[in-house]
């Protein structure tokens, strides 16, 4: 008997004006978006004692900053809300769920709690990588990550392709309703991202979904870096940028300052702790919010070194899958599985493992943990959009 087929992620493609794209998106993910709203209502109630009305009231503070910086993205959110039959603030809350959770005002709320001990939420877990040059035996440029987040959010994830000329065409893995997260574009730029944690001041900055989407909307790696360096994000996050020409740079972005790193012999791996340096604003009492990151990063580096011996893309994908399936420290391992010692609403898992060949434009993902399922080869090639004509592809 043949083994059961690996589950696959839903594919959603949108195009047109920002509002039209949003409406197409909202209609396509209506059920998953409502699932996301129901889950986060439960999650915020469990972790912070907030009703969904209180969550959306907090999220409203990001409406004006997004409108000022990227009005077209707010219009896309508005269209998504219309298509899904929800409010704009519902969609804004899904796009700013990390910002609401890590908002500095939570610190004051926690301090005022009567004899309660409230732990800061762990940063969104991910292990990102870039491999090229000496690190890539097949000569291709590879980028990807294990995206670790709440296990219950798995039913909200979709693969989203956005055709938006003259901007590059994008392919991203997102939670339904979000307008940006991790992915790559037809200009040959990949963005992989990791939460970093840490409380900073209460100045309102941009949500990560807006920052990341704006990065992937760029045609050149220097313009993508310009977005990261000239915008003020509300919370700390790591951005690993890789381009098809064979270059990568990692930028640890915070509201208080940035750090950066470059690959060693063509390999760069980043997790959920500060690796370029702890910002002075939080250095005095900083502790990694995801201690397992201290294990995941070196294990990924060790596993991905096997790519040096690869003789072709098929072998490379197998080696990447093997590296990202590591279980040292299970359940909070590189390949993350739910910790049954914790309440179900707090379960974490690898939602998507991605493996992108920036040389050929092939995009592969798993619908869940990579240890027990195959990569899904998406039917979309990165270079089937603006800036992506075959003549410009690297052979």
């Amino acid at each position: 008997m043949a083994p059961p087929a690996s589950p696959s992620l839903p594919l959603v493609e949108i195009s047109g004006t920002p509002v039209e794209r949003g409406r197409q998106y909202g209609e396509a993910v209506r059920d998953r978006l409502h699932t996301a709203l129901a889950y986060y209502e439960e999650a915020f109630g469990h972790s912070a004692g907030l009703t969904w009305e209180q969550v959306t009231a907090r999220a409203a503070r990001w409406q004006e900053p997004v409108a000022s910086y990227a009005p077209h993205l707010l219009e896309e959110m508005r269209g998504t809300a219309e298509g899904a039959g929800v409010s704009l603030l519902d969609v804004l809350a899904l796009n700013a769920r990390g910002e609401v959770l890590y908002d500095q005002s939570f610190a004051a709320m926690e301090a005022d709690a009567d004899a309660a001990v409230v732990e800061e939420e762990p940063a969104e877990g991910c292990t990102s990588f870039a491999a090229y040059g000496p690190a890539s035996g097949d000569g291709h440029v590879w980028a990807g990550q294990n995206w670790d987040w709440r296990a219950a959010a798995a039913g909200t994830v979709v693969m989203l392709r956005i055709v938006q000329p003259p901007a590059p065409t994008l392919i991203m893995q997102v939670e339904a309703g979000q307008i940006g997260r991790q992915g790559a574009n037809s200009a040959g730029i990949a963005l992989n991202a990791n939460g970093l944690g840490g409380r900073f001041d209460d100045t309102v900055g941009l949500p990560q979904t807006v920052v990341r989407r704006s990065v992937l909307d760029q045609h050149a790696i220097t313009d993508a870096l310009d977005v990261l360096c000239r915008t003020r994000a509300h919370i700390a996050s790591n951005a690993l940028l890789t381009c098809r020409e064979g270059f990568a740079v990692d930028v640890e972005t915070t509201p208080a300052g940035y750090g950066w790193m470059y690959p060693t012999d063509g390999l760069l791996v980043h997790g959920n702790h500060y690796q370029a340096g702890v910002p002075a604003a939080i250095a005095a009492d900083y502790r990694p919010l995801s201690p397992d990151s201290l294990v995941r990063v070196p294990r990924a580096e060790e596993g991905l070194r096997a790519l040096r011996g690869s003789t072709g893309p098929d072998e490379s994908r197998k080696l990447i899958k093997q590296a990202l399936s590591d279980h040292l420290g299970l359940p909070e391992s590189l390949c993350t599985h739910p910790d049954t010692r914790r309440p179900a609403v707090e379960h974490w898992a690898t939602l998507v493992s991605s493996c992108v060949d920036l040389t050929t434009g092939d995009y592969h993902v798993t619908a869940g943990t990579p240890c027990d399922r195959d990569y899904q080869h998406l039917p979309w090639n990165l270079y089937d959009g603006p800036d992506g004509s075959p003549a410009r592809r690297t052979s």
Side-chain angles (χ1 to χ4, degrees):
M1 180 181 295
S6 293
S8 59
L9 293 171
L11 307 178
V12 177
E13 184 168 1
I14 60 177
S15 61
T17 67
V19 171
E20 289 170 345
R21 294 196 300 262
R23 287 179 183 143
Q24 294 164 21
Y25 184 26
E27 291 170 2
V29 302
R30 176 186 287 259
D31 290 346
R32 286 183 173 243
L33 193 151
H34 282 266
T35 297
L37 292 175
Y39 170 68
Y40 284 115
E41 180 175 8
E42 178 187 8
F44 276 108
H46 175 80
S47 64
L50 296 175
T51 65
W52 187 247
E53 288 72 21
Q54 290 172 315
V55 171
T56 54
R58 286 173 180 262
R61 68 188 305 193
W62 283 283
Q63 186 168 340
E64 192 282 326
V66 175
S68 295
Y69 177 74
H72 62 292
L73 296 184
L74 188 65
E75 286 303 294
E76 198 169 288
M77 290 186 210
R78 194 182 308 278
T80 301
E82 293 175 7
V86 299
S87 75
L88 173 61
L89 288 184
D90 286 331
V91 173
L92 190 58
L94 292 176
N95 279 275
R97 53 125 168 103
E99 284 70 20
V100 172
L101 197 57
Y102 295 112
D103 188 16
Q104 178 67 11
S105 62
F106 270 92
M109 180 183 72
E110 292 163 6
D112 292 340
D114 294 334
V117 178
V118 183
E119 296 182 357
E120 188 173 349
E121 283 284 320
E124 182 170 4
C126 298
T127 310
S128 300
F129 75 91
Y132 59 89
S136 175
D138 63 14
H140 290 215
V141 178
W142 296 93
Q145 70 181 100
N146 276 5
W147 171 22
D148 308 330
W149 184 232
R150 304 294 183 84
T156 74
V157 177
V158 300
M159 296 306 303
L160 180 64
R161 183 174 191 252
I162 305 177
V163 181
Q164 51 174 6
T169 296
L170 313 182
I171 299 175
M172 299 181 293
Q173 52 264 32
V174 297
E175 294 170 57
Q178 293 182 343
I179 49 93
R181 187 146 294 281
Q182 292 88 228
N185 71 17
S186 60
I189 299 170
L191 168 66
N192 297 101
N194 317 68
L196 289 173
R199 300 286 192 198
F200 293 86
D201 62 35
D202 57 1
T203 303
V204 177
L206 290 170
Q208 280 298 316
T209 54
V210 173
V211 174
R212 296 176 187 180
R213 170 66 176 277
S214 299
V215 167
L216 284 172
D217 279 347
Q218 305 307 310
H219 293 271
I221 187 78
T222 46
D223 291 335
L225 277 168
D226 194 66
V227 171
L228 288 174
C229 293
R230 295 185 185 276
T231 56
R232 188 187 194 283
H234 191 81
I235 59 175
S237 182
N238 184 73
L240 174 49
L241 293 175
T242 311
C243 64
R244 64 178 165 186
E245 291 82 0
F247 177 84
V249 58
D250 186 276
V251 185
E252 295 176 349
T253 68
T254 84
Y258 289 12
W260 51 90
M261 301 167 55
Y262 297 99
T264 299
D265 295 328
L267 178 64
L268 198 161
V269 176
H270 205 289
N272 301 109
H273 62 285
Y274 290 94
Q275 295 173 222
V278 180
I282 62 172
D285 57 0
Y286 171 72
R287 299 180 183 183
L289 292 180
S290 299
D292 51 285
S293 177
L294 302 176
V295 173
R296 288 187 276 113
V297 168
R299 292 294 286 186
E301 290 174 339
E302 181 180 349
L304 289 168
R305 287 192 190 105
L307 274 176
R308 296 174 183 173
S310 173
T311 58
D314 290 343
E315 183 181 2
S316 292
R317 285 193 301 274
K318 291 177 183 178
L319 291 171
I320 291 170
K321 181 179 184 296
Q322 180 177 318
L324 298 183
S325 297
D326 186 76
H327 283 152
L328 181 65
L330 190 71
E332 294 183 345
S333 45
L334 181 52
C335 179
T336 302
H337 292 255
D339 185 346
T340 56
R341 297 169 297 182
R342 303 183 69 86
V345 71
E346 297 179 11
H347 284 181
W348 285 59
T350 297
L351 301 185
V352 177
S353 181
S354 60
C355 172
V356 182
D357 186 342
L358 288 174
T359 300
T360 64
D362 292 302
Y363 205 120
H364 294 78
V365 291
T366 62
T369 46
C371 65
D372 54 2
R373 59 205 73 199
D374 296 326
Y375 276 118
Q376 172 187 354
H377 185 192
L378 299 187
W380 309 312
N381 187 283
L382 279 176
Y383 304 132
D384 290 340
D387 277 352
S389 63
R392 295 196 57 184
R393 299 187 197 181
T394 304
S395 60

